[in-house]
Amino acid sequence: MTLSPARVPVAEPGVRRLTATLYGYAFLDEFVLLYPVYALLFADTGLSVGQMSSLFVLWSATGVLLEVPSGAWADAVSRRLLLWLGPLLGAAGFALWVFVPSYWAFAAGFVLWGARGAMGSGALEALVHDELERLGAADRYARIMGRAQAAGQVAVMTAMALAGPVFAAYGYPAVGAASVLACLLCAATATRFPEHRGPATAVPDGAGWAASLRSGLGEARRDRSVRGALLLVPAVAAVWGALDEYTPLLARDTGAADATIPYLLVTVWAGVTAGSLLAGPAERLGRRGFGALLTASALALAVGAGAGTPAGLALVAVAFGGFQLATVLADARLQQRIEGTGRATLTSVAGLGTELATITVYGTYAQLASTTTHGTTFALLAVPYLLVALLVALRR
């Protein structure tokens, strides 16, 4: 006879505090009124398209360089520290943009913004998973993180809706001040995160940053299942994450009026939000179910984008919702497989892979879109998901 281990009772008050803080943090982290208008700010300051592109490259490069070191720092020191420090860097960057607008101020702001993103990536997932595990609720991770991402997506849509009237009435200083305030409130919210680093989740005293990095990477080398989960995250997240930047161009190619495009984009974001909220019911999908999810989403993307009509964007919204759901589930599977002290480090490695793959997709998109329509380009970039779905379904 086999005895089952005693189930750890769930500490509901602790879970409620953790989730309330997480949802507030996720909302404030994305509630940035500058998002829809910062490109206009650059243009109005006199920047050329080439200068804007150089800023985007600087932003991506900062994230790539700091992604893994910041994860190792979170494991070695404190995840909560990085979660409140990051938004402060973002606030400083946005203040530079609005109050001393110039190319070099924009460049400094993008470096600070890239550092902010790198600090949160890995640290947030590691803190939430370890706290849920301590509270006996690790099986809720996918559901809770899905809801947190949905909160962030609602924040983006709300900021898009508010940015127009605020900008029209008060200009760049008002949207900038609101963005800085949201960052400061986000940092204040992060200080409420609980953080209990027990022997199983903390790096030994005196081990330091380098030891934390070695510990995390060593687990990936030793454990094949961890390596597979690490590769799955960028394989799922990168393509659709890059395509999201081009959805306005896809919408314009359908013949929709420019005034209608924001409403079509809100439809797409609504699909993404729905995908986040479905993470709880879908977390028990096996590898074949996961492969079927990717296949159905890829087909919806190809058909919807290839239709060349505004109605086809509804299928694109369905596809993006499926890819968002798959992204949350891939992260949850990675967290389930990590057992050592390097959780934030390994999650940051997955984030680094996503950043590099996303940059590759940007280049591929530019090449394809120069010879064909945006709809056809979207449809062609659905093909990698069919390959990933096949590999997932066949993998033992």
Side-chain angles (χ1 to χ4, degrees):
M1 182 176 67
T2 302
L3 296 177
S4 300
R7 180 169 179 165
V8 178
V10 176
E12 287 296 342
V15 173
R16 285 195 295 271
R17 177 192 171 187
L18 174 64
T19 55
T21 304
L22 173 64
Y23 300 156
Y25 182 89
F27 184 91
L28 291 167
D29 191 42
E30 296 289 353
F31 188 65
V32 179
L33 270 64
L34 269 172
Y35 283 172
V37 300
Y38 69 77
L40 301 178
L41 172 63
F42 298 165
D44 290 345
T45 306
L47 268 62
S48 66
V49 174
Q51 287 176 312
M52 291 185 200
S53 298
S54 69
L55 292 175
F56 294 147
V57 170
L58 179 62
W59 182 24
S60 296
T62 302
V64 167
L65 291 174
L66 296 181
E67 182 75 41
V68 175
S70 66
W73 186 24
D75 282 329
V77 184
S78 166
R79 284 103 181 236
R80 181 172 57 197
L81 171 65
L82 269 68
L83 291 177
W84 68 255
L85 181 59
L88 295 181
L89 297 181
F94 294 149
L96 283 174
W97 283 6
V98 174
F99 299 113
V100 285
S102 66
Y103 177 82
W104 295 110
F106 297 147
F110 267 120
V111 170
L112 292 169
W113 194 3
R116 171 196 183 182
M119 285 184 175
S121 175
L124 180 64
E125 294 87 348
L127 184 147
V128 172
H129 187 278
D130 283 349
E131 288 301 312
L132 287 174
E133 191 170 51
R134 182 184 67 85
L135 295 167
D139 58 337
R140 302 185 192 179
Y141 175 82
R143 180 185 301 109
I144 288 171
M145 289 303 291
R147 291 174 179 173
Q149 294 196 24
Q153 289 142 14
V154 169
V156 170
M157 291 187 286
T158 304
M160 289 174 63
L162 291 176
V166 172
F167 177 69
Y170 305 106
Y172 293 117
V175 293
S179 301
V180 170
L181 178 60
C183 291
L184 296 177
L185 291 174
C186 185
T189 302
T191 63
R192 291 186 50 79
F193 274 118
E195 184 174 27
H196 301 81
R197 305 292 297 279
T201 59
V203 176
D205 291 341
W209 175 88
S212 175
L213 181 61
R214 286 195 300 270
S215 174
L217 297 180
E219 183 174 359
R221 287 195 300 268
R222 293 189 301 270
D223 193 329
R224 182 179 178 183
S225 68
V226 173
R227 289 199 305 275
L230 277 174
L231 292 172
L232 183 60
V233 172
V236 171
V239 175
W240 82 270
L243 290 179
D244 177 57
E245 302 295 332
Y246 300 99
T247 49
L249 302 177
L250 176 67
R252 176 177 283 176
D253 264 11
T254 65
D258 284 354
T260 307
I261 288 176
Y263 299 105
L264 295 175
L265 297 184
V266 168
T267 301
V268 174
W269 274 97
V272 175
T273 304
S276 297
L277 294 174
L278 289 172
E283 61 186 333
R284 297 187 182 277
L285 282 178
R287 55 187 173 85
R288 291 184 179 177
F290 191 87
L293 172 64
L294 288 180
T295 300
S297 300
L299 293 175
L301 177 63
V303 174
T309 64
L313 290 178
L315 277 178
V316 175
V318 171
F320 275 26
F323 293 139
Q324 168 65 11
L325 172 58
T327 300
V328 176
L329 295 179
D331 169 59
R333 293 182 183 202
L334 173 61
Q335 302 305 326
Q336 290 168 1
R337 284 161 175 73
I338 298 173
E339 297 181 354
T341 61
R343 184 176 301 281
T345 303
L346 286 173
T347 306
S348 291
V349 169
L352 173 61
T354 301
E355 290 282 351
L356 293 174
T358 299
I359 292 172
T360 302
V361 176
Y362 287 149
T364 303
Y365 192 100
Q367 292 294 322
L368 292 173
S370 65
T371 58
T372 187
T373 66
H374 291 288
T376 302
T377 302
F378 268 66
L380 290 173
L381 287 172
V383 174
Y385 282 113
L386 298 176
L387 300 177
V388 174
L390 180 63
L391 290 174
V392 169
L394 295 179
R395 183 176 180 272
R396 294 183 179 180

